Amino acid sequence: VKITLPALISPNSSHNPHIPSKTNQMFHQKNSFLLYAKATLKTHASQVKSSLFAQRTKTPASKGQLMRDYIMESLYEPKIGFFNHEQVITPMQKIPFSQLKSQQDFIDEYQKLTDNSEEFLTPVELFQPHYNEIVTRYIVKEIERQKMMETASGEESEEPIFIYEVGAGRGTLALNLLDHLREHERKMYERIQYRIIEISESLVQLQLERLRKNHRDKIRVHHKSIFDWNDTVSSRNVFVILMEVLDNLPHDKMRITQSKFLRKEKIVGEGRVHVRGVSIYEKYSDIFRDPIIQRYLHYTKDFPLSELDFSMLFHNPYRFGKLAIKSIRKFRYIPTMQMRLLEILNKYMPHHQLIIADFDELPDNNDVQSWNGPTVQRRELLTDGTYMVKSFSNVISPNKYTCDIFFGTDFNQMEKLYKRVRATVNPLDTAGQQQANEEEVEYEILKHQDFMTKYDDKNIRDACQITPQYNPLVNEFKNQSFFLTRKRKRGEAITQVSPKETWWQNIWRRSFG
């Protein structure tokens, strides 16, 4: 799949054509060459394209354009949007882990796949089938746990188990998951029905070609966007997988005010982009006219907004000083389309269990005035045939349609938002605050390496182990996290909850990895 460039570079290497030096400082990790991972399939962009255009807020030009609509057009405009200049499907060669002897061997092997191209490999593709088998093991354990709950309550059922994957790329995760179940969990395999929600016509054909060869009766591909989804899935056995989907969802930009000591903030206005001839600028209104923004603010009205992260003083004093000296932040990006996604899942798949993997941290966006600002970058071809990454301080600085715009996910904030969405009878309506689902749900947020370790087994670990101290499957992608939800019977004790770091744990993790 034609996908965007990673910035993979050895911390010991002086050659760094892919990533700015400040990002190197921010993402330097001991024993890790992956300083920054931007993992979204280029063809995944079409997954949200059509429905986002259908949902654009139609306002007179004099009133400007909402920031989320501007970002959406920049990324997904047909034919000229950043992700739609061209779409190329390319085969993925597996990395021969057993032949690698050192971390540098792995770096060299990876660069063979990416040098002089615009390709980027997600963990799903890069570590296939091992990464995908660990995700499969998590699903297997959850199915077994549900079966034990059903047996204990006398409600044991053999109804189908549905797995929905949003934006499945080349279908690699689906293929590895089904192959694993057929070989190791035959009885469970018979119950599985795998569904893909994909709007890209070219990817739909590729997915069907790869998956129907060995799993014809298990696969169905819905050629539509998740934002167009309107079919109710009433089954109580539903898993929803979103791998690197959230980062390219458009956000809205809001004006905020802050109190003394940079401690508290309040949202006071919505931002719009105005174009006058060749000039482009932002303007903020004190009136919240947009219903999606209104709904997001309704969900989050009592959420504590961000505070200055004083742990940064220890692990990144340069960044801390930059924030403290250059003043109070004036703007905040809010994940309004992330909220829409959660609303749709809650309304049409009320008994789902989520498996989300995405970025919890991204390179410095250089916009010190905005909380949760995006990273705005594009690749530029150099005279020697290599590429370098050029970064911009905000969304409207570069020419429209020329840059990738992507956001990190605040998983703790998303957990709170998800709970609030579930607590609404009709999540697409601001009215009603009764419980929408009978099941109680427990939540878990795990760093990438913690998930890989927790649901790993020795066979998978050995397959990617390069040295006793280095396993790229576990040690890389340190800026990714998993968000997991699981059902439990009402009144059942919570066995696993989202980890809440103390201040000293946060400092230790950020400083020493």
Side-chain angles (χ1 to χ4, degrees):
V1 179
K2 182 96 178 263
I3 41 192
T4 50
L5 169 80
L8 294 168
I9 198 78
S10 170
N12 299 319
S13 171
S14 60
H15 175 61
N16 186 354
H18 304 308
I19 190 165
S21 60
K22 291 180 182 178
T23 308
N24 284 342
Q25 296 172 12
M26 181 175 180
F27 276 86
H28 181 79
Q29 297 284 355
K30 185 176 181 181
N31 297 325
S32 173
F33 82 94
L34 184 60
L35 303 181
Y36 155 57
K38 166 64 178 71
T40 183
L41 293 172
K42 183 164 187 175
T43 44
H44 149 71
S46 58
Q47 173 200 327
V48 294
K49 178 179 61 181
S50 67
S51 60
L52 285 175
F53 273 90
Q55 296 179 38
R56 278 185 295 181
T57 305
K58 298 179 180 180
T59 56
S62 60
K63 293 186 178 180
Q65 186 178 37
L66 287 168
M67 182 59 76
R68 71 167 183 270
D69 293 333
Y70 181 86
I71 294 174
M72 178 268 296
E73 285 187 356
S74 298
L75 295 177
Y76 306 119
E77 183 82 34
K79 297 184 180 180
I80 61 173
F82 178 79
F83 286 123
N84 293 306
H85 294 309
E86 56 180 313
Q87 291 189 11
V88 180
I89 305 298
T90 58
M92 165 60 189
Q93 298 178 349
K94 294 183 179 180
I95 292 179
F97 291 100
S98 61
Q99 300 176 21
L100 306 182
K101 303 301 182 184
S102 67
Q103 180 181 1
Q104 187 60 47
D105 288 347
F106 179 70
I107 297 171
D108 294 340
E109 191 67 30
Y110 181 88
Q111 290 180 338
K112 288 180 184 178
L113 302 176
T114 59
D115 277 354
N116 303 315
S117 74
E118 293 187 46
E119 295 185 358
F120 180 75
L121 306 176
T122 66
V124 168
E125 298 288 342
L126 184 61
F127 298 116
Q128 62 171 298
H130 316 297
Y131 178 96
N132 303 324
E133 288 179 348
I134 294 177
V135 174
T136 303
R137 282 174 54 81
Y138 168 77
I139 293 175
V140 168
K141 287 187 176 183
E142 281 304 300
I143 293 174
E144 292 174 344
R145 189 180 68 86
Q146 290 182 29
K147 189 174 183 63
M148 292 177 60
M149 289 171 51
E150 292 172 354
T151 301
S153 62
E155 301 174 354
E156 190 169 352
S157 171
E158 293 297 324
E159 68 177 14
I161 300 167
F162 292 94
I163 300 176
Y164 283 83
E165 184 179 0
V166 180
R170 301 179 67 247
T172 302
L173 173 59
L175 180 63
N176 294 159
L177 183 147
L178 292 171
D179 285 346
H180 180 93
L181 292 180
R182 185 177 59 182
E183 181 178 354
H184 301 287
E185 303 285 348
R186 187 71 190 190
K187 188 173 181 181
M188 194 176 295
Y189 174 79
E190 299 298 330
R191 296 178 61 191
I192 292 291
Q193 291 294 317
Y194 206 102
R195 303 289 184 256
I196 293 174
I197 303 174
E198 178 66 67
I199 197 171
S200 169
E201 184 176 357
S202 58
L203 285 182
V204 166
Q205 296 304 317
L206 178 62
Q207 291 160 2
L208 291 175
E209 179 182 342
R210 296 187 73 197
L211 295 168
R212 282 188 171 175
K213 182 177 180 180
N214 296 320
H215 306 287
R216 176 174 294 273
D217 297 334
K218 299 297 178 183
I219 287 293
R220 181 177 176 184
V221 179
H222 298 272
H223 186 193
K224 66 189 328 183
S225 163
I226 183 61
F227 292 101
D228 291 327
W229 188 266
N230 57 5
D231 298 328
T232 300
V233 181
S234 57
S235 173
R236 304 183 76 86
N237 297 310
V238 179
F239 293 87
V240 178
I241 302 175
L242 299 102
M243 294 293 181
E244 294 86 38
V245 170
L246 302 182
D247 63 327
N248 277 127
L249 293 183
H251 287 46
D252 276 293
K253 189 174 183 180
M254 313 299 290
R255 186 167 62 87
I256 61 177
T257 59
Q258 290 186 310
S259 63
K260 59 183 179 179
F261 306 121
L262 313 179
R263 299 294 293 180
K264 300 295 181 183
E265 68 181 36
K266 179 181 179 181
I267 293 177
V268 296
E270 67 182 28
R272 293 174 181 266
V273 178
H274 293 256
V275 179
R276 294 290 184 272
V278 295
S279 64
I280 181 170
Y281 61 94
E282 299 174 27
K283 190 175 180 180
Y284 294 84
S285 168
D286 294 335
I287 302 174
F288 301 111
R289 296 190 297 264
D290 178 66
I292 294 179
I293 291 177
Q294 290 176 350
R295 195 156 65 246
Y296 180 88
L297 297 179
H298 174 76
Y299 284 133
T300 62
K301 60 185 177 182
D302 57 347
F303 287 5
L305 297 177
S306 58
E307 300 179 352
L308 186 62
D309 184 1
F310 286 94
S311 68
M312 192 183 299
L313 177 63
F314 296 89
H315 72 84
N316 194 339
Y318 171 81
R319 174 67 173 162
F320 181 87
K322 186 177 178 181
L323 292 178
I325 294 173
K326 289 199 173 181
S327 85
I328 300 171
R329 295 186 177 190
K330 300 177 181 179
F331 307 102
R332 161 177 286 276
Y333 284 86
I334 59 174
T336 41
M337 295 312 295
Q338 178 193 107
M339 175 201 71
R340 288 282 295 118
L341 175 64
L342 297 177
E343 287 178 332
I344 289 170
L345 293 178
N346 189 51
K347 180 178 181 179
Y348 295 110
M349 304 179 190
H351 306 295
H352 68 268
Q353 293 184 230
L354 281 177
I355 304 171
I356 297 177
D358 226 300
F359 301 99
D360 53 37
E361 191 172 14
L362 287 174
D364 188 349
N365 60 48
N366 297 318
D367 182 1
V368 297
Q369 292 189 328
S370 298
W371 288 108
N372 194 35
T375 295
V376 183
Q377 292 182 339
R378 69 165 174 250
R379 295 189 61 207
E380 296 185 351
L381 183 63
L382 303 178
T383 55
D384 62 358
T386 62
Y387 289 89
M388 68 167 289
V389 171
K390 183 175 182 179
S391 298
F392 296 86
S393 61
N394 58 60
V395 172
I396 66 174
S397 289
N399 293 331
K400 197 173 183 180
Y401 313 119
T402 63
C403 286
D404 194 1
I405 304 169
F406 48 99
F407 298 82
T409 297
D410 184 335
F411 281 89
N412 290 321
Q413 195 84 336
M414 186 177 73
E415 178 183 333
K416 296 175 184 177
L417 176 62
Y418 180 75
K419 290 177 179 178
R420 191 60 55 83
V421 169
R422 281 185 55 85
T424 305
V425 173
N426 181 0
L428 303 183
D429 184 356
T430 55
Q433 292 294 319
Q434 304 170 23
Q435 289 295 324
N437 299 295
E438 294 181 1
E439 302 100 347
E440 291 187 358
V441 175
E442 56 188 53
Y443 310 85
E444 187 172 24
I445 300 171
L446 291 174
K447 292 293 292 183
H448 168 88
Q449 55 266 40
D450 295 331
F451 181 89
M452 292 295 111
T453 301
K454 184 172 183 178
Y455 297 103
D456 192 5
D457 69 9
K458 195 172 187 303
N459 293 330
I460 299 176
R461 188 182 308 117
D462 288 347
C464 295
Q465 196 78 36
I466 294 178
T467 70
Q469 294 78 31
Y470 179 68
N471 186 327
L473 177 63
V474 176
N475 299 135
E476 302 305 337
F477 290 92
K478 291 189 175 182
N479 60 329
Q480 279 200 354
S481 289
F482 279 79
F483 178 70
L484 311 169
T485 69
R486 56 179 66 88
K487 296 182 295 185
R488 61 187 177 89
K489 294 172 63 177
R490 187 171 295 279
E492 179 185 9
I494 298 178
T495 56
Q496 295 176 338
V497 296
S498 302
K500 306 296 183 183
E501 290 183 327
T502 63
W503 65 268
W504 62 267
Q505 289 173 325
N506 181 277
I507 292 173
W508 183 272
R509 175 176 61 81
R510 288 172 171 265
S511 301
F512 304 106

